[in-house]
Amino acid sequence: MKTLRLGLIALSAAAAAALSPAQAGTMILGGYPSQLMVIDEAKGSITQEVDLKTGLPVSMRLSDDGKLLYATTITTSGIEVLDVATRKIVNSFSLNTPAVRYRFSGGVPDPTGRYFYILGTRIDKGIDAFRISKPQFMVVDLQTKQVVKTAELEPDDQKFGARGGLMLSPDGKTLYAFRDKILVVNTADLKTVDHFDLSKPEYPGMQDVSFGGGVGRLQTPGQFVSLFETEDPYIHNKTFGVARLDLDTRKFTFTPIGPSPKALSGLEVSPDGKYGYTVAVTGELGSQRCEFWRFDLGSNKALDKSEFQCRRRFYFGMSGNGQKLYIYGAGFDVAVYDAKTLKPEGAWELTHDITMSGMVITR
C-alpha cells in the first residue's frame, strides 16, 4: 500500500507539471549510455527513444529551420543527424579511426547543411606515443564524413583549451566562438579576425550545454542575445549583463545589470521576447544557494528572484511556450517550475540518466 501511495503521488506531481496539449511541445534530452529521449511536454513522459550508433551524446544543436537536430557523441567522436519530423537518424558516422582520434564537445552546422564546424583537438597514435594537437577549428564534411579543413587557434587564444560554444552568421561567412573572450572567425580560412572582450558566465556543472539549442537566436534571426560577463582591468571585479550580438554585422551592445554571482547560467528567453530567465548560484559546497532570476529584456532590469533546491550538478531550460522552467541533469528526473511564480510544480521521472548534452524543444 505504501508503494502504491508513493506511486500515485509521483503520478499526480507529473500530471500537475505537464502542459496542456495545445501548449505543449516536444522535449529532447540525451540519455546514458547512447540514447536521445523524446518527451511529450503535455504528458511529462517519454514517447520514444532514439538509439545512437556512435555512443554517448554530449551536445545537441537544431538547424536554423528547426528541421534537423545535430548530436555529437564522445564515445567515438561521432556526429548523428536526426530528422525532427520523423524522429529518424538520417546521417551517422564517427570521425575516429584506428590511428586518429578527435576530441570535441559540440559544433554548429552551416546554412547549407553540408558542413559542420567544431572546436577540438586531434590525437595521432604513433609508434611509441600519442601526439595531441593544439586546439583548432575544424570543418567536417557531412557527406564525405571527414575533416576537410583545420586551423590552429592563435597562441593567445589557446590557453582556454578546446572549449567554447559556437555560432554561425546566417550567411555562413563568420564563426563566433564564445570562450574567455568572443572570437570572430572568418570561415573561408578559419582565421580569427577580431575579439570582443566579453565572456560567457560559468554554468553550474558544465558550461557547454548553454549553447545546445541555439538559445538567444529564437526570437530575432541573425541575432544572439544572452548573459555575458565583463571584468574591469584593475581590481578584476566581474559584472554581468545582457549582450545583443548581430551575427551579420559583428556589432554588439552590452548593458550591465550588477555584480556577478559565483556561477551564472545562460539566458532563456520567453517566446514573446519580453522576459529572460537565468539561474544564479552563490556560496560554497554545503551552503550553496540556487535561485531563478527573471529580467525585463525591454529595460534590461532584474525583476524578481526565487530560491530552489540545489543539486550537485544541474542544467537549466525552458518549455517551448515559456510557461515552465526546467532543472535537470545528473539524474533520472526533470524538475518543473512555473515561470510566473518561479515555484515548483512537480517532476518527471525518465528512463535514462540525463547526459550533459543540453535540452532541445521542438514542435
mmCIF file of all heavy atoms in Angstrom, residues 160 163-165 178-181 198-211 226-231 238-240 260-267 278-282 288 293 314-316:
data_model
loop_
_atom_site.group_PDB
_atom_site.id
_atom_site.type_symbol
_atom_site.label_atom_id
_atom_site.label_comp_id
_atom_site.label_asym_id
_atom_site.label_seq_id
_atom_site.Cartn_x
_atom_site.Cartn_y
_atom_site.Cartn_z
ATOM 1 N N PHE A 160 42.765 28.735 -23.239
ATOM 2 C CA PHE A 160 41.451 28.302 -22.776
ATOM 3 C C PHE A 160 41.122 26.890 -23.220
ATOM 4 O O PHE A 160 40.098 26.324 -22.858
ATOM 5 C CB PHE A 160 40.386 29.277 -23.297
ATOM 6 C CG PHE A 160 39.134 29.311 -22.474
ATOM 7 C CD1 PHE A 160 39.159 29.716 -21.152
ATOM 8 C CD2 PHE A 160 37.924 28.934 -23.019
ATOM 9 C CE1 PHE A 160 38.004 29.749 -20.385
ATOM 10 C CE2 PHE A 160 36.753 28.972 -22.256
ATOM 11 C CZ PHE A 160 36.808 29.379 -20.947
ATOM 12 N N ARG A 163 37.529 24.437 -25.640
ATOM 13 C CA ARG A 163 36.195 24.602 -25.072
ATOM 14 C C ARG A 163 35.551 25.854 -25.635
ATOM 15 O O ARG A 163 36.235 26.792 -26.044
ATOM 16 C CB ARG A 163 36.257 24.725 -23.546
ATOM 17 C CG ARG A 163 36.668 23.478 -22.810
ATOM 18 C CD ARG A 163 36.760 23.763 -21.328
ATOM 19 N NE ARG A 163 35.532 24.360 -20.815
ATOM 20 C CZ ARG A 163 35.496 25.218 -19.798
ATOM 21 N NH1 ARG A 163 36.607 25.599 -19.210
ATOM 22 N NH2 ARG A 163 34.340 25.702 -19.373
ATOM 23 N N GLY A 164 34.252 25.866 -25.634
ATOM 24 C CA GLY A 164 33.533 27.061 -26.030
ATOM 25 C C GLY A 164 32.391 26.757 -26.978
ATOM 26 O O GLY A 164 32.499 25.872 -27.826
ATOM 27 N N GLY A 165 31.295 27.477 -26.819
ATOM 28 C CA GLY A 165 30.164 27.334 -27.723
ATOM 29 C C GLY A 165 30.424 28.033 -29.039
ATOM 30 O O GLY A 165 31.194 29.004 -29.114
ATOM 31 N N PHE A 178 32.549 31.354 -28.289
ATOM 32 C CA PHE A 178 32.308 32.005 -27.008
ATOM 33 C C PHE A 178 33.167 31.330 -25.951
ATOM 34 O O PHE A 178 32.884 30.218 -25.507
ATOM 35 C CB PHE A 178 30.822 31.926 -26.655
ATOM 36 C CG PHE A 178 29.937 32.629 -27.656
ATOM 37 C CD1 PHE A 178 29.478 31.973 -28.778
ATOM 38 C CD2 PHE A 178 29.594 33.952 -27.475
ATOM 39 C CE1 PHE A 178 28.665 32.624 -29.702
ATOM 40 C CE2 PHE A 178 28.791 34.615 -28.381
ATOM 41 C CZ PHE A 178 28.328 33.950 -29.510
ATOM 42 N N ARG A 179 34.232 32.017 -25.535
ATOM 43 C CA ARG A 179 35.203 31.459 -24.607
ATOM 44 C C ARG A 179 35.482 32.490 -23.514
ATOM 45 O O ARG A 179 34.566 33.153 -23.046
ATOM 46 C CB ARG A 179 36.466 31.083 -25.378
ATOM 47 C CG ARG A 179 36.237 29.999 -26.434
ATOM 48 C CD ARG A 179 37.242 30.063 -27.577
ATOM 49 N NE ARG A 179 38.616 30.067 -27.128
ATOM 50 C CZ ARG A 179 39.320 28.978 -26.800
ATOM 51 N NH1 ARG A 179 38.739 27.781 -26.867
ATOM 52 N NH2 ARG A 179 40.564 29.061 -26.409
ATOM 53 N N ASP A 180 36.771 32.646 -23.117
ATOM 54 C CA ASP A 180 37.113 33.716 -22.193
ATOM 55 C C ASP A 180 36.894 35.070 -22.845
ATOM 56 O O ASP A 180 36.688 36.074 -22.169
ATOM 57 C CB ASP A 180 38.551 33.576 -21.713
ATOM 58 C CG ASP A 180 39.553 33.518 -22.859
ATOM 59 O OD1 ASP A 180 39.166 33.107 -23.971
ATOM 60 O OD2 ASP A 180 40.719 33.877 -22.638
ATOM 61 N N LYS A 181 36.936 35.110 -24.193
ATOM 62 C CA LYS A 181 36.525 36.254 -24.997
ATOM 63 C C LYS A 181 35.768 35.697 -26.196
ATOM 64 O O LYS A 181 35.866 34.515 -26.519
ATOM 65 C CB LYS A 181 37.738 37.062 -25.466
ATOM 66 C CG LYS A 181 38.533 37.715 -24.347
ATOM 67 C CD LYS A 181 39.686 38.518 -24.904
ATOM 68 C CE LYS A 181 40.460 39.198 -23.776
ATOM 69 N NZ LYS A 181 41.600 40.001 -24.292
ATOM 70 N N LEU A 198 34.164 40.146 -23.936
ATOM 71 C CA LEU A 198 33.069 39.658 -23.111
ATOM 72 C C LEU A 198 33.200 38.147 -23.017
ATOM 73 O O LEU A 198 33.636 37.491 -23.961
ATOM 74 C CB LEU A 198 31.710 40.006 -23.719
ATOM 75 C CG LEU A 198 31.288 41.473 -23.733
ATOM 76 C CD1 LEU A 198 30.002 41.626 -24.524
ATOM 77 C CD2 LEU A 198 31.094 41.994 -22.321
ATOM 78 N N SER A 199 32.808 37.570 -21.905
ATOM 79 C CA SER A 199 32.882 36.127 -21.752
ATOM 80 C C SER A 199 31.534 35.567 -21.335
ATOM 81 O O SER A 199 30.710 36.262 -20.740
ATOM 82 C CB SER A 199 33.931 35.740 -20.700
ATOM 83 O OG SER A 199 33.542 36.182 -19.413
ATOM 84 N N LYS A 200 31.290 34.283 -21.681
ATOM 85 C CA LYS A 200 30.095 33.614 -21.194
ATOM 86 C C LYS A 200 30.281 33.305 -19.713
ATOM 87 O O LYS A 200 31.351 32.882 -19.286
ATOM 88 C CB LYS A 200 29.872 32.296 -21.950
ATOM 89 C CG LYS A 200 29.331 32.483 -23.345
ATOM 90 C CD LYS A 200 27.940 33.087 -23.354
ATOM 91 C CE LYS A 200 26.920 32.143 -22.756
ATOM 92 N NZ LYS A 200 25.559 32.760 -22.730
ATOM 93 N N PRO A 201 29.247 33.502 -18.880
ATOM 94 C CA PRO A 201 29.361 33.157 -17.465
ATOM 95 C C PRO A 201 29.580 31.661 -17.277
ATOM 96 O O PRO A 201 29.215 30.847 -18.116
ATOM 97 C CB PRO A 201 28.001 33.587 -16.889
ATOM 98 C CG PRO A 201 27.411 34.506 -17.896
ATOM 99 C CD PRO A 201 27.941 34.065 -19.224
ATOM 100 N N GLU A 202 30.208 31.322 -16.168
ATOM 101 C CA GLU A 202 30.384 29.912 -15.836
ATOM 102 C C GLU A 202 29.029 29.297 -15.527
ATOM 103 O O GLU A 202 28.229 29.855 -14.781
ATOM 104 C CB GLU A 202 31.318 29.749 -14.637
ATOM 105 C CG GLU A 202 32.773 30.040 -14.959
ATOM 106 C CD GLU A 202 33.326 29.095 -16.005
ATOM 107 O OE1 GLU A 202 32.981 27.894 -15.970
ATOM 108 O OE2 GLU A 202 34.087 29.555 -16.865
ATOM 109 N N TYR A 203 28.770 28.144 -16.086
ATOM 110 C CA TYR A 203 27.490 27.466 -15.913
ATOM 111 C C TYR A 203 27.595 26.470 -14.778
ATOM 112 O O TYR A 203 28.609 25.790 -14.656
ATOM 113 C CB TYR A 203 27.144 26.719 -17.210
ATOM 114 C CG TYR A 203 25.703 26.292 -17.311
ATOM 115 C CD1 TYR A 203 24.750 27.113 -17.892
ATOM 116 C CD2 TYR A 203 25.302 25.056 -16.838
ATOM 117 C CE1 TYR A 203 23.435 26.701 -18.007
ATOM 118 C CE2 TYR A 203 23.985 24.641 -16.929
ATOM 119 C CZ TYR A 203 23.066 25.481 -17.523
ATOM 120 O OH TYR A 203 21.761 25.091 -17.627
ATOM 121 N N PRO A 204 26.588 26.369 -13.914
ATOM 122 C CA PRO A 204 26.642 25.361 -12.845
ATOM 123 C C PRO A 204 26.829 23.970 -13.429
ATOM 124 O O PRO A 204 26.020 23.510 -14.215
ATOM 125 C CB PRO A 204 25.281 25.500 -12.162
ATOM 126 C CG PRO A 204 24.817 26.881 -12.494
ATOM 127 C CD PRO A 204 25.364 27.167 -13.873
ATOM 128 N N GLY A 205 27.894 23.294 -13.066
ATOM 129 C CA GLY A 205 28.158 21.952 -13.592
ATOM 130 C C GLY A 205 28.989 22.009 -14.846
ATOM 131 O O GLY A 205 30.201 21.930 -14.809
ATOM 132 N N MET A 206 28.370 22.175 -15.999
ATOM 133 C CA MET A 206 29.074 22.186 -17.275
ATOM 134 C C MET A 206 28.611 23.377 -18.095
ATOM 135 O O MET A 206 27.425 23.643 -18.191
ATOM 136 C CB MET A 206 28.814 20.886 -18.046
ATOM 137 C CG MET A 206 29.267 19.631 -17.338
ATOM 138 S SD MET A 206 31.050 19.473 -17.229
ATOM 139 C CE MET A 206 31.433 19.089 -18.940
ATOM 140 N N GLN A 207 29.554 24.091 -18.715
ATOM 141 C CA GLN A 207 29.211 25.293 -19.467
ATOM 142 C C GLN A 207 28.680 24.983 -20.854
ATOM 143 O O GLN A 207 27.847 25.692 -21.388
ATOM 144 C CB GLN A 207 30.467 26.171 -19.579
ATOM 145 C CG GLN A 207 30.472 27.170 -20.732
ATOM 146 C CD GLN A 207 29.412 28.225 -20.610
ATOM 147 O OE1 GLN A 207 28.825 28.392 -19.548
ATOM 148 N NE2 GLN A 207 29.144 28.924 -21.677
ATOM 149 N N ASP A 208 29.160 23.911 -21.503
ATOM 150 C CA ASP A 208 28.921 23.708 -22.925
ATOM 151 C C ASP A 208 27.441 23.631 -23.295
ATOM 152 O O ASP A 208 27.070 23.977 -24.409
ATOM 153 C CB ASP A 208 29.616 22.419 -23.391
ATOM 154 C CG ASP A 208 31.123 22.518 -23.250
ATOM 155 O OD1 ASP A 208 31.629 23.647 -23.314
ATOM 156 O OD2 ASP A 208 31.770 21.485 -23.060
ATOM 157 N N VAL A 209 26.591 23.175 -22.397
ATOM 158 C CA VAL A 209 25.199 22.950 -22.776
ATOM 159 C C VAL A 209 24.424 24.226 -22.985
ATOM 160 O O VAL A 209 23.338 24.184 -23.552
ATOM 161 C CB VAL A 209 24.472 22.088 -21.723
ATOM 162 C CG1 VAL A 209 25.144 20.762 -21.560
ATOM 163 C CG2 VAL A 209 24.386 22.825 -20.398
ATOM 164 N N SER A 210 24.959 25.362 -22.576
ATOM 165 C CA SER A 210 24.177 26.580 -22.710
ATOM 166 C C SER A 210 23.973 26.997 -24.160
ATOM 167 O O SER A 210 23.162 27.868 -24.445
ATOM 168 C CB SER A 210 24.829 27.737 -21.942
ATOM 169 O OG SER A 210 26.077 28.077 -22.505
ATOM 170 N N PHE A 211 24.696 26.371 -25.082
ATOM 171 C CA PHE A 211 24.516 26.673 -26.498
ATOM 172 C C PHE A 211 23.834 25.532 -27.237
ATOM 173 O O PHE A 211 23.756 25.535 -28.452
ATOM 174 C CB PHE A 211 25.872 26.949 -27.158
ATOM 175 C CG PHE A 211 26.478 28.240 -26.727
ATOM 176 C CD1 PHE A 211 27.315 28.295 -25.643
ATOM 177 C CD2 PHE A 211 26.174 29.414 -27.387
ATOM 178 C CE1 PHE A 211 27.873 29.486 -25.238
ATOM 179 C CE2 PHE A 211 26.718 30.618 -26.975
ATOM 180 C CZ PHE A 211 27.573 30.647 -25.906
ATOM 181 N N SER A 226 22.121 36.991 -24.959
ATOM 182 C CA SER A 226 22.396 36.135 -23.814
ATOM 183 C C SER A 226 23.040 36.958 -22.705
ATOM 184 O O SER A 226 23.277 38.162 -22.857
ATOM 185 C CB SER A 226 23.304 34.966 -24.209
ATOM 186 O OG SER A 226 23.342 34.000 -23.166
ATOM 187 N N LEU A 227 23.308 36.295 -21.590
ATOM 188 C CA LEU A 227 24.024 36.930 -20.488
ATOM 189 C C LEU A 227 25.523 36.755 -20.700
ATOM 190 O O LEU A 227 25.986 35.681 -21.084
ATOM 191 C CB LEU A 227 23.629 36.306 -19.151
ATOM 192 C CG LEU A 227 22.199 36.536 -18.670
ATOM 193 C CD1 LEU A 227 22.015 35.911 -17.294
ATOM 194 C CD2 LEU A 227 21.862 38.013 -18.621
ATOM 195 N N PHE A 228 26.258 37.819 -20.441
ATOM 196 C CA PHE A 228 27.708 37.784 -20.543
ATOM 197 C C PHE A 228 28.301 38.473 -19.329
ATOM 198 O O PHE A 228 27.617 39.190 -18.590
ATOM 199 C CB PHE A 228 28.184 38.490 -21.817
ATOM 200 C CG PHE A 228 27.955 37.708 -23.076
ATOM 201 C CD1 PHE A 228 26.718 37.702 -23.683
ATOM 202 C CD2 PHE A 228 28.980 36.970 -23.642
ATOM 203 C CE1 PHE A 228 26.499 36.987 -24.845
ATOM 204 C CE2 PHE A 228 28.768 36.250 -24.801
ATOM 205 C CZ PHE A 228 27.533 36.257 -25.413
ATOM 206 N N GLU A 229 29.589 38.266 -19.137
ATOM 207 C CA GLU A 229 30.307 38.924 -18.058
ATOM 208 C C GLU A 229 31.448 39.763 -18.618
ATOM 209 O O GLU A 229 32.034 39.439 -19.646
ATOM 210 C CB GLU A 229 30.895 37.892 -17.082
ATOM 211 C CG GLU A 229 29.867 37.212 -16.200
ATOM 212 C CD GLU A 229 30.488 36.211 -15.262
ATOM 213 O OE1 GLU A 229 31.432 35.506 -15.672
ATOM 214 O OE2 GLU A 229 30.018 36.128 -14.116
ATOM 215 N N THR A 230 31.744 40.848 -17.920
ATOM 216 C CA THR A 230 32.912 41.657 -18.236
ATOM 217 C C THR A 230 33.681 41.894 -16.935
ATOM 218 O O THR A 230 33.102 41.846 -15.843
ATOM 219 C CB THR A 230 32.512 42.986 -18.894
ATOM 220 O OG1 THR A 230 33.695 43.685 -19.293
ATOM 221 C CG2 THR A 230 31.713 43.851 -17.944
ATOM 222 N N GLU A 231 34.978 42.134 -17.060
ATOM 223 C CA GLU A 231 35.838 42.270 -15.882
ATOM 224 C C GLU A 231 36.661 43.541 -16.006
ATOM 225 O O GLU A 231 37.261 43.807 -17.048
ATOM 226 C CB GLU A 231 36.756 41.046 -15.797
ATOM 227 C CG GLU A 231 37.668 41.021 -14.598
ATOM 228 C CD GLU A 231 38.511 39.759 -14.557
ATOM 229 O OE1 GLU A 231 37.960 38.673 -14.286
ATOM 230 O OE2 GLU A 231 39.727 39.862 -14.826
ATOM 231 N N LYS A 238 33.904 41.267 -11.515
ATOM 232 C CA LYS A 238 33.106 40.860 -12.666
ATOM 233 C C LYS A 238 31.698 41.432 -12.574
ATOM 234 O O LYS A 238 31.080 41.426 -11.510
ATOM 235 C CB LYS A 238 33.038 39.324 -12.761
ATOM 236 C CG LYS A 238 34.347 38.683 -13.182
ATOM 237 C CD LYS A 238 34.172 37.187 -13.386
ATOM 238 C CE LYS A 238 35.454 36.547 -13.894
ATOM 239 N NZ LYS A 238 35.280 35.086 -14.127
ATOM 240 N N THR A 239 31.208 41.909 -13.698
ATOM 241 C CA THR A 239 29.852 42.430 -13.818
ATOM 242 C C THR A 239 29.129 41.660 -14.908
ATOM 243 O O THR A 239 29.702 41.415 -15.971
ATOM 244 C CB THR A 239 29.871 43.928 -14.172
ATOM 245 O OG1 THR A 239 30.552 44.645 -13.134
ATOM 246 C CG2 THR A 239 28.464 44.472 -14.326
ATOM 247 N N PHE A 240 27.879 41.272 -14.645
ATOM 248 C CA PHE A 240 27.120 40.576 -15.675
ATOM 249 C C PHE A 240 26.075 41.514 -16.261
ATOM 250 O O PHE A 240 25.671 42.512 -15.651
ATOM 251 C CB PHE A 240 26.459 39.306 -15.125
ATOM 252 C CG PHE A 240 25.173 39.541 -14.379
ATOM 253 C CD1 PHE A 240 23.941 39.435 -15.020
ATOM 254 C CD2 PHE A 240 25.183 39.863 -13.036
ATOM 255 C CE1 PHE A 240 22.756 39.655 -14.338
ATOM 256 C CE2 PHE A 240 24.010 40.087 -12.344
ATOM 257 C CZ PHE A 240 22.789 39.986 -12.995
ATOM 258 N N SER A 260 28.543 40.016 -10.628
ATOM 259 C CA SER A 260 28.339 38.610 -10.967
ATOM 260 C C SER A 260 28.346 37.744 -9.718
ATOM 261 O O SER A 260 29.180 37.928 -8.829
ATOM 262 C CB SER A 260 29.444 38.130 -11.912
ATOM 263 O OG SER A 260 29.374 38.792 -13.148
ATOM 264 N N PRO A 261 27.410 36.790 -9.634
ATOM 265 C CA PRO A 261 27.451 35.814 -8.542
ATOM 266 C C PRO A 261 28.550 34.791 -8.814
ATOM 267 O O PRO A 261 29.274 34.880 -9.809
ATOM 268 C CB PRO A 261 26.061 35.173 -8.598
ATOM 269 C CG PRO A 261 25.674 35.291 -10.036
ATOM 270 C CD PRO A 261 26.259 36.579 -10.529
ATOM 271 N N LYS A 262 28.663 33.798 -7.950
ATOM 272 C CA LYS A 262 29.701 32.790 -8.123
ATOM 273 C C LYS A 262 29.535 32.052 -9.435
ATOM 274 O O LYS A 262 30.504 31.771 -10.145
ATOM 275 C CB LYS A 262 29.659 31.798 -6.951
ATOM 276 C CG LYS A 262 30.685 30.677 -7.083
ATOM 277 C CD LYS A 262 30.574 29.677 -5.946
ATOM 278 C CE LYS A 262 31.581 28.549 -6.138
ATOM 279 N NZ LYS A 262 31.478 27.532 -5.061
ATOM 280 N N ALA A 263 28.312 31.700 -9.773
ATOM 281 C CA ALA A 263 28.047 30.983 -11.018
ATOM 282 C C ALA A 263 26.732 31.481 -11.595
ATOM 283 O O ALA A 263 25.785 31.762 -10.859
ATOM 284 C CB ALA A 263 27.986 29.476 -10.776
ATOM 285 N N LEU A 264 26.681 31.575 -12.918
ATOM 286 C CA LEU A 264 25.514 32.114 -13.602
ATOM 287 C C LEU A 264 25.313 31.327 -14.883
ATOM 288 O O LEU A 264 26.267 31.073 -15.623
ATOM 289 C CB LEU A 264 25.736 33.591 -13.927
ATOM 290 C CG LEU A 264 24.547 34.455 -14.318
ATOM 291 C CD1 LEU A 264 23.628 34.639 -13.105
ATOM 292 C CD2 LEU A 264 25.033 35.814 -14.799
ATOM 293 N N SER A 265 24.069 30.926 -15.152
ATOM 294 C CA SER A 265 23.796 30.140 -16.354
ATOM 295 C C SER A 265 23.583 31.061 -17.545
ATOM 296 O O SER A 265 23.637 32.286 -17.430
ATOM 297 C CB SER A 265 22.549 29.274 -16.150
ATOM 298 O OG SER A 265 21.382 30.056 -16.273
ATOM 299 N N GLY A 266 23.298 30.468 -18.695
ATOM 300 C CA GLY A 266 22.931 31.245 -19.863
ATOM 301 C C GLY A 266 21.528 31.799 -19.716
ATOM 302 O O GLY A 266 20.877 31.670 -18.674
ATOM 303 N N LEU A 267 21.032 32.444 -20.759
ATOM 304 C CA LEU A 267 19.745 33.122 -20.710
ATOM 305 C C LEU A 267 18.704 32.334 -21.483
ATOM 306 O O LEU A 267 18.939 31.918 -22.607
ATOM 307 C CB LEU A 267 19.878 34.526 -21.315
ATOM 308 C CG LEU A 267 18.679 35.456 -21.189
ATOM 309 C CD1 LEU A 267 18.511 35.910 -19.744
ATOM 310 C CD2 LEU A 267 18.848 36.658 -22.099
ATOM 311 N N THR A 278 17.459 33.256 -15.847
ATOM 312 C CA THR A 278 18.732 32.598 -15.654
ATOM 313 C C THR A 278 18.739 31.951 -14.272
ATOM 314 O O THR A 278 17.795 32.107 -13.492
ATOM 315 C CB THR A 278 19.904 33.582 -15.789
ATOM 316 O OG1 THR A 278 21.138 32.862 -15.845
ATOM 317 C CG2 THR A 278 19.959 34.551 -14.612
ATOM 318 N N VAL A 279 19.799 31.214 -13.981
ATOM 319 C CA VAL A 279 19.986 30.587 -12.671
ATOM 320 C C VAL A 279 21.293 31.099 -12.095
ATOM 321 O O VAL A 279 22.325 31.117 -12.772
ATOM 322 C CB VAL A 279 20.020 29.050 -12.789
ATOM 323 C CG1 VAL A 279 20.609 28.422 -11.539
ATOM 324 C CG2 VAL A 279 18.613 28.515 -13.029
ATOM 325 N N ALA A 280 21.254 31.554 -10.847
ATOM 326 C CA ALA A 280 22.437 32.046 -10.151
ATOM 327 C C ALA A 280 22.739 31.149 -8.960
ATOM 328 O O ALA A 280 21.821 30.703 -8.262
ATOM 329 C CB ALA A 280 22.225 33.483 -9.681
ATOM 330 N N VAL A 281 24.029 30.890 -8.742
ATOM 331 C CA VAL A 281 24.473 30.064 -7.618
ATOM 332 C C VAL A 281 25.450 30.879 -6.789
ATOM 333 O O VAL A 281 26.416 31.445 -7.314
ATOM 334 C CB VAL A 281 25.148 28.769 -8.101
ATOM 335 C CG1 VAL A 281 25.634 27.950 -6.906
ATOM 336 C CG2 VAL A 281 24.183 27.950 -8.944
ATOM 337 N N THR A 282 25.207 30.964 -5.490
ATOM 338 C CA THR A 282 26.107 31.645 -4.561
ATOM 339 C C THR A 282 26.479 30.692 -3.438
ATOM 340 O O THR A 282 25.793 29.697 -3.186
ATOM 341 C CB THR A 282 25.450 32.905 -3.975
ATOM 342 O OG1 THR A 282 24.219 32.539 -3.317
ATOM 343 C CG2 THR A 282 25.142 33.919 -5.065
ATOM 344 N N GLN A 288 25.414 26.187 -0.453
ATOM 345 C CA GLN A 288 25.070 26.877 -1.689
ATOM 346 C C GLN A 288 23.615 27.346 -1.691
ATOM 347 O O GLN A 288 22.752 26.732 -1.068
ATOM 348 C CB GLN A 288 25.322 25.968 -2.892
ATOM 349 C CG GLN A 288 26.792 25.816 -3.256
ATOM 350 C CD GLN A 288 26.975 25.015 -4.527
ATOM 351 O OE1 GLN A 288 26.127 24.223 -4.914
ATOM 352 N NE2 GLN A 288 28.104 25.215 -5.179
ATOM 353 N N TRP A 293 16.467 33.888 -11.548
ATOM 354 C CA TRP A 293 16.394 35.333 -11.701
ATOM 355 C C TRP A 293 15.605 35.633 -12.964
ATOM 356 O O TRP A 293 15.816 35.022 -14.005
ATOM 357 C CB TRP A 293 17.790 35.952 -11.818
ATOM 358 C CG TRP A 293 18.573 35.955 -10.542
ATOM 359 C CD1 TRP A 293 18.190 35.451 -9.345
ATOM 360 C CD2 TRP A 293 19.889 36.493 -10.364
ATOM 361 N NE1 TRP A 293 19.174 35.631 -8.407
ATOM 362 C CE2 TRP A 293 20.237 36.265 -9.003
ATOM 363 C CE3 TRP A 293 20.794 37.130 -11.193
ATOM 364 C CZ2 TRP A 293 21.462 36.667 -8.479
ATOM 365 C CZ3 TRP A 293 22.023 37.529 -10.672
ATOM 366 C CH2 TRP A 293 22.346 37.304 -9.334
ATOM 367 N N PHE A 314 23.732 20.450 -12.342
ATOM 368 C CA PHE A 314 22.430 20.548 -12.985
ATOM 369 C C PHE A 314 22.498 21.494 -14.171
ATOM 370 O O PHE A 314 23.447 22.260 -14.342
ATOM 371 C CB PHE A 314 21.355 21.025 -11.994
ATOM 372 C CG PHE A 314 21.585 22.416 -11.474
ATOM 373 C CD1 PHE A 314 21.090 23.529 -12.135
ATOM 374 C CD2 PHE A 314 22.297 22.623 -10.295
ATOM 375 C CE1 PHE A 314 21.291 24.801 -11.653
ATOM 376 C CE2 PHE A 314 22.505 23.890 -9.796
ATOM 377 C CZ PHE A 314 22.002 24.982 -10.479
ATOM 378 N N TYR A 315 21.427 21.436 -14.976
ATOM 379 C CA TYR A 315 21.289 22.306 -16.139
ATOM 380 C C TYR A 315 19.906 22.962 -16.087
ATOM 381 O O TYR A 315 19.031 22.545 -15.342
ATOM 382 C CB TYR A 315 21.466 21.509 -17.438
ATOM 383 C CG TYR A 315 22.679 20.626 -17.406
ATOM 384 C CD1 TYR A 315 22.556 19.232 -17.400
ATOM 385 C CD2 TYR A 315 23.948 21.174 -17.347
ATOM 386 C CE1 TYR A 315 23.677 18.424 -17.350
ATOM 387 C CE2 TYR A 315 25.065 20.369 -17.295
ATOM 388 C CZ TYR A 315 24.928 18.993 -17.295
ATOM 389 O OH TYR A 315 26.032 18.192 -17.240
ATOM 390 N N PHE A 316 19.725 23.970 -16.932
ATOM 391 C CA PHE A 316 18.553 24.822 -16.849
ATOM 392 C C PHE A 316 17.943 24.979 -18.233
ATOM 393 O O PHE A 316 18.660 25.152 -19.218
ATOM 394 C CB PHE A 316 18.986 26.177 -16.286
ATOM 395 C CG PHE A 316 17.979 27.284 -16.424
ATOM 396 C CD1 PHE A 316 16.689 27.130 -15.937
ATOM 397 C CD2 PHE A 316 18.322 28.489 -17.009
ATOM 398 C CE1 PHE A 316 15.766 28.166 -16.049
ATOM 399 C CE2 PHE A 316 17.425 29.522 -17.123
ATOM 400 C CZ PHE A 316 16.139 29.364 -16.650
#
